[in-house]
């Protein structure tokens, strides 16, 4: 399992009965988690000190209940090495919004560390590393790649998410970093990049199970993902350094993700593929809460 265990500003305190108790900076949130199907005692003192609680509805969706929680606050993540702009951490602007989210998936720090190390190593050799981040959300991976010295193309179908990612870049001291911010449908963008002959040394994506592009383009993961992987292979440079696929869709196991990347990328680019669950340590139990899966190709 890939474990995001270097956080200082975030922690899973406990989890039971379909919910996880978390510390985001100095604020305590309680949010639903479908993976938490066990029933253990609630002994942590923070169960009685909530700043926000997202209540899931039996009809779908849900709503927030707040107890002294600001509309927006920040947390920081310490990067694993030296950056190009002198900063040693990323800063994220958080706010509770639709369907339990805060604007950040903390477990992805395990992938940020992995790609940061690879990019930093190559940049120190004097190489230019071009990274494509698709379904890029609020930019955690984009900022980690840019801080390591990469030139990043950040693609998301939501203008609101792009703006949020730009705010995170500014807060992290990366406003002047070489990042292209694009509101676009990822499949159509890749098809245009193929026609233009553009290549990338690293490609990463975190596709949703279901969604729509900026012009209503329909995305269904099981129907579209392997085709997208095949197309991205055509814009993966011959001297590429990594390819990362992350998923939260239940039913698509790490073994399935490994098979997709291995059959699409390895025959033309060689290298190796590893895939595993990605997770967060839980303070009270000492166990690790699974939070999706990642498949990593590298040379």
């Amino acid at each position: 399992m890939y474990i995001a265990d270097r956080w200082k500003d975030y922690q899973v305190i406990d989890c039971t009965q379909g919910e996880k108790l978390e510390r985001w900076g100095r604020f305590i949130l309680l949010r639903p988690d479908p993976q938490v199907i066990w029933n253990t005692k609630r002994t942590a003192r923070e169960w009685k000190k909530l700043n926000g609680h997202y209540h899931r509805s039996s009809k779908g969706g849900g709503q927030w209940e707040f107890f002294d929680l600001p509309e927006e606050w920040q947390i920081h993540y310490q990067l694993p090495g030296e950056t190009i702009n002198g900063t040693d951490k990323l800063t994220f602007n958080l706010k509770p919004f639709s369907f339990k989210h805060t604007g950040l998936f903390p477990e992805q720090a395990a992938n940020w560390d992995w790609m940061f190390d690879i990019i930093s190593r190559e940049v120190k050799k004097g190489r230019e590393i071009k990274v494509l981040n698709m379904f890029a959300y609020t930019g955690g991976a984009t900022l980690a790649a840019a801080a390591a010295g990469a030139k990043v193309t950040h693609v998301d179908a939501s203008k609101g998410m792009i703006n949020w990612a730009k705010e995170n870049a500014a807060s992290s001291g990366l406003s002047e970093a070489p990042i292209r911010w694009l509101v676009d449908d990822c499949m159509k963008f890749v098809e245009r990049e193929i026609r233009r002959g553009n290549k990338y040394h690293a490609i990463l994506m975190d596709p949703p199970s279901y969604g729509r592009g900026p012009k209503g383009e329909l995305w269904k993961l099981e129907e579209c993902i392997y085709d997208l992987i095949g197309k991205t292979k055509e814009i993966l440079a011959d001297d590429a350094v990594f390819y990362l696929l992350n998923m939260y869709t239940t039913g698509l196991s790490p073994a399935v993700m490994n098979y997709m990347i291995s059959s699409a990328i390895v025959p033309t680019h060689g290298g190796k593929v590893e895939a595993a669950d990605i997770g967060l340590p839980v303070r009270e139990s000492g166990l690790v809460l699974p939070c999706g899966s990642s498949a990593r190709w590298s040379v």
Side-chain angles (χ1 to χ4, degrees):
M1 180 179 283
Y2 306 131
I3 304 174
D5 57 1
R6 295 199 315 104
W7 277 102
K8 303 297 183 185
D9 279 5
Y10 173 84
Q11 184 179 54
V12 178
I13 300 167
D14 199 3
C15 47
T16 185
Q17 295 179 295
E19 294 182 305
K20 59 184 175 184
L21 182 68
E22 306 162 289
R23 177 179 61 81
W24 297 80
R26 61 187 181 89
F27 300 107
I28 306 300
L29 301 184
L30 182 59
R31 301 188 298 158
D33 191 315
Q35 299 271 43
V36 181
I37 60 175
W38 49 87
N39 183 358
T40 52
K41 292 184 178 180
R42 302 186 177 196
T43 58
R45 64 185 184 280
E46 289 90 347
W47 284 106
K48 298 179 180 180
K49 297 182 178 181
L50 301 182
N51 295 104
H53 185 184
Y54 188 89
H55 298 275
R56 195 74 182 269
S57 170
S58 59
K59 299 179 181 179
Q63 62 181 5
W64 282 98
E65 180 182 12
F66 299 121
F67 315 95
D68 191 27
L69 184 71
E71 293 184 1
E72 186 171 323
W73 73 101
Q74 292 183 336
I75 65 171
H76 309 285
Y77 184 71
Q78 189 79 29
L79 290 165
E82 183 180 350
T83 67
I84 60 166
N85 67 336
T87 184
D88 60 354
K89 63 186 177 183
L90 303 179
T91 298
F92 299 101
N93 299 285
L94 306 181
K95 51 190 172 185
F97 72 112
S98 61
F99 194 61
K100 78 179 182 180
H101 296 305
T102 63
L104 185 67
F105 292 95
E107 62 274 9
Q108 287 303 314
N111 285 328
W112 304 341
D113 289 353
W114 177 75
M115 70 178 68
F116 184 94
D117 288 341
I118 295 174
I119 295 168
S120 295
R121 181 187 67 222
E122 297 301 317
V123 169
K124 288 176 182 177
K125 295 177 183 177
R127 290 191 60 189
E128 177 185 81
I129 300 297
K130 294 173 61 179
V131 174
L132 172 60
N133 184 13
M134 296 188 293
F135 309 97
Y137 197 53
T138 59
T142 291
L143 302 187
K151 294 183 177 179
V152 187
T153 299
H154 174 112
V155 184
D156 197 278
S158 168
K159 185 176 180 180
M161 291 299 112
I162 294 283
N163 290 335
W164 197 337
K166 289 180 179 180
E167 292 174 5
N168 288 336
S171 296
S172 300
L174 292 166
S175 292
E176 303 303 317
I179 303 172
R180 286 199 301 160
W181 307 99
L182 302 177
V183 180
D184 207 341
D185 175 78
C186 290
M187 183 73 80
K188 290 185 176 179
F189 173 78
V190 171
E191 291 170 345
R192 288 196 300 273
E193 290 292 84
I194 293 171
R195 294 193 294 269
R196 289 186 286 241
N198 288 334
K199 300 285 186 177
Y200 296 88
H201 303 102
I203 296 175
L204 57 142
M205 66 176 95
D206 191 353
S209 299
Y210 178 88
R212 291 189 179 274
K215 296 183 179 179
E217 300 91 340
L218 182 62
W219 167 271
K220 291 184 179 179
L221 182 70
E222 291 84 349
E223 298 176 6
C224 302
I225 186 59
Y226 192 69
D227 186 29
L228 179 57
I229 292 170
K231 290 182 185 297
T232 56
K233 177 184 66 175
E234 299 185 48
I235 60 172
L236 191 64
D238 292 339
D239 57 348
V241 293
F242 75 78
Y243 191 106
L244 172 66
L245 173 65
N246 189 79
M247 288 190 186
Y248 291 97
T249 302
T250 56
L252 291 179
S253 67
V256 170
M257 297 167 65
N258 188 321
Y259 201 100
M260 288 193 295
I261 303 299
S262 295
S263 62
I265 305 298
V266 173
T268 54
H269 287 74
K272 61 181 180 180
V273 181
E274 298 177 342
D277 290 332
I278 189 168
L280 290 160
V282 181
R283 189 191 75 189
E284 290 297 292
S285 67
L287 301 177
V288 177
L289 177 66
C291 305
S293 304
S294 294
R296 300 168 171 178
W297 171 87
S298 60
V299 291

